[in-house]
Amino acid sequence: MFKKIIIGILVCLLLLVGEATAVQAQSASAIFQAVNQFRSNNGLVPFQYSSALATAAQNQANYMAANTVFSSHVGAGGSTPQSRANAAGYVGRVSENIVGGTGMSASSGLNWWANSPVHYNTLITSRYQEAGTGFATNGNENFYVLVVGQPSDAPPPPAADDSPEPLFITPITLAQPGEDGSIVHVVQDGQALWSLAAHYEVALSDLLLFNSLPANAVVQPGDHITIRLADGQPPPPTPTPPTMHTVLEGQSLWSIAVQYSVKLGDILWLNGLPEDAILQPGEQIRVRLAPDEAPPPTPTPILYHTVRRGQTLWEVALSYNLSLDALLTLNNIDANAILQPGDLLLVRPMPPTPTPTVPPTATLPPATATSTQAATQPATAVSAQLSQPVATPIGIDISEETAVTIEAESGVGIGRIVTGLAVGLLIIGVLAVIVLRSELFS
């Protein structure tokens, strides 16, 4: 009896472990799919799944759940994202996003990363092409980890590594709604607008609108931030979006485009800049046109891209709003092709070759009577002569009607040829008889 009880307990434990493992795998898969959907929605190529990176991500998620670690990339034994990926068998560069919170869902975790500039860069990166995710929970808090990587045999990145530094964030206690339905949060030390937006699951743009703040606003401890308006309270009027941006130290055209939610191509067009332009602090960059401002001339679309040192196929495709497959098809190359500085890549379909213009058919001048016969010739006869074919190209069939016409018109000539041949043969025959008789009687 005791043995049966032990076996039953073991079976129950195995079932519980299996169920927990299934939930864990399902949650890890959910955040991976959410990240790739986010990239697709922003016109980016989805990450390729890597089991080695998923193992590294899961190990860190387990460590965070067991030790209630919210904001450090340091793992068991002092491990780092790179050392954990290498230990899992991954050969290449990696970067890591982490997030955790009470009852946090996959969508909330993604919302957190999307509202954090440093983590947002990992979501939209074009320098990593593989990824893996992990999920763990301690029963109260849920932890999500995203590890992105670039294999070591892939072309090198164009710039320095963009792995995010550990970001330490003060835990946020959600404020309760007031009697009028409004929610106001008092900022604590270490909190930022993007972290408030992620915790309250609201759009960062709404926080900026509700509080009349600019996009680059920095909040201070003690500030009161409206999270939700009172019931029935109309939102403030939407401010006129800025048209110019003053470049700050370390900013790039890409980061400015992200900040103002505009396309990189539009900024290049508005400012007449190439994609590799280097910005200087204090420089004025136009990010959009004013309502009454005329747009600059539309540039001639680029047909070829000249590869720069360190550029990858992924980066080139992303720069021209192409999928990697589209770029490969345009250039008839493989995804493993190695680029060299100076290589030319086709980035849009070749324009069609213009069809030569066929000159109009010359109009014949009116017939002029040159003799009494021509002057008295009926018009129908002239038309018939003009419409007669002059020659038939070799290898082109002619219709039965045309063949009959040709035969009828050439019948007289053929008859004369046959008559000539018959007379010639007759003369030859007579001469032959005369010669033969002379030989016999000689």
Side-chain angles (χ1 to χ4, degrees), residues 35-94:
V35 167
N36 271 347
Q37 185 61 54
F38 178 86
R39 289 177 64 83
S40 296
N41 292 344
N42 286 275
L44 304 173
V45 178
F47 287 126
Q48 300 176 21
Y49 178 79
S50 166
S51 58
L53 293 180
T55 298
Q58 188 59 55
N59 289 340
Q60 180 63 4
N62 293 340
Y63 175 82
M64 293 171 66
N67 297 275
T68 317
V69 175
F70 286 96
S71 57
S72 175
H73 291 279
V74 178
S79 64
T80 65
Q82 189 66 59
S83 65
R84 287 191 291 272
N86 293 343
Y90 191 80
V91 181
R93 304 168 43 255
V94 302

Side-chain angles (χ1 to χ4, degrees), residues 47-418:
F47 287 126
Q48 300 176 21
Y49 178 79
S50 166
S51 58
L53 293 180
T55 298
Q58 188 59 55
N59 289 340
Q60 180 63 4
N62 293 340
Y63 175 82
M64 293 171 66
N67 297 275
T68 317
V69 175
F70 286 96
S71 57
S72 175
H73 291 279
V74 178
S79 64
T80 65
Q82 189 66 59
S83 65
R84 287 191 291 272
N86 293 343
Y90 191 80
V91 181
R93 304 168 43 255
V94 302
S95 183
E96 181 181 79
N97 273 7
I98 60 174
V99 69
T102 302
M104 179 174 283
S105 64
S107 59
S108 298
L110 177 62
N111 190 40
W112 176 288
W113 290 335
N115 283 284
S116 162
V118 68
H119 295 91
Y120 181 83
N121 287 340
T122 304
L123 295 178
I124 65 168
T125 182
S126 62
R127 297 168 53 207
Y128 298 91
Q129 59 185 7
E130 299 178 341
T133 50
F135 166 81
T137 181
N138 58 15
N140 186 31
E141 291 91 6
N142 295 334
F143 299 86
Y144 297 89
V145 178
L146 166 69
V147 181
V148 298
Q150 180 78 345
S152 60
D153 57 355
D161 183 69
D162 61 356
S163 301
E165 295 296 327
L167 192 61
F168 297 92
I169 306 164
T170 302
I172 294 177
T173 302
L174 301 182
Q176 297 302 310
E179 294 182 358
D180 59 357
S182 65
I183 296 178
V184 178
H185 180 90
V186 179
V187 177
Q188 304 298 314
D189 188 27
Q191 296 178 352
L193 285 171
W194 66 263
S195 61
L196 295 179
H199 266 93
Y200 283 97
E201 298 189 13
V202 298
L204 179 58
S205 58
D206 287 346
L207 292 189
L208 299 176
L209 176 63
F210 296 163
N211 297 275
S212 301
L213 295 174
N216 58 350
V218 177
V219 294
Q220 303 295 332
D223 288 349
H224 287 68
I225 299 298
T226 299
I227 306 297
R228 182 196 300 167
L229 298 174
D231 295 338
Q233 179 184 354
T238 303
T240 302
T243 60
M244 302 298 294
H245 171 80
T246 302
V247 178
L248 303 177
E249 184 71 35
Q251 283 191 318
S252 65
L253 289 169
W254 178 270
S255 64
I256 294 173
V258 170
Q259 177 178 336
Y260 289 93
S261 299
V262 297
K263 295 180 180 179
L264 176 61
D266 288 346
I267 290 186
L268 299 178
W269 169 55
L270 292 173
N271 296 274
L273 295 173
E275 62 166 319
D276 57 349
I278 298 177
L279 304 181
Q280 301 297 330
E283 186 176 351
Q284 292 289 308
I285 295 295
R286 184 171 299 280
V287 293
R288 57 173 60 87
L289 294 172
D292 57 347
E293 188 175 6
T298 302
T300 302
I302 296 175
L303 186 61
Y304 285 97
H305 170 82
T306 303
V307 176
R308 301 190 305 276
R309 183 176 299 279
Q311 278 195 316
T312 65
L313 289 167
W314 293 86
E315 181 183 357
V316 175
L318 198 61
S319 298
Y320 293 93
N321 199 27
L322 294 171
S323 67
L324 179 61
D325 288 341
L327 181 65
L328 298 178
T329 301
L330 280 173
N331 294 276
N332 193 26
I333 57 176
D334 185 78
N336 298 319
I338 303 299
L339 302 181
Q340 301 295 335
D343 286 350
L344 294 179
L345 290 177
L346 196 63
V347 294
R348 57 189 293 265
M350 290 287 291
T353 304
T355 303
T357 304
V358 179
T361 303
T363 304
L364 294 175
T368 303
T370 58
S371 66
T372 305
Q373 181 182 2
T376 59
Q377 188 177 13
T380 53
V382 174
S383 301
Q385 289 179 5
L386 293 178
S387 62
Q388 288 175 4
V390 177
T392 302
I394 296 175
I396 300 179
D397 294 334
I398 56 177
S399 65
E400 180 180 354
E401 180 181 356
T402 306
V404 170
T405 302
I406 294 174
E407 181 181 357
E409 293 173 346
S410 59
V412 175
I414 294 174
R416 290 175 180 174
I417 294 173
V418 171

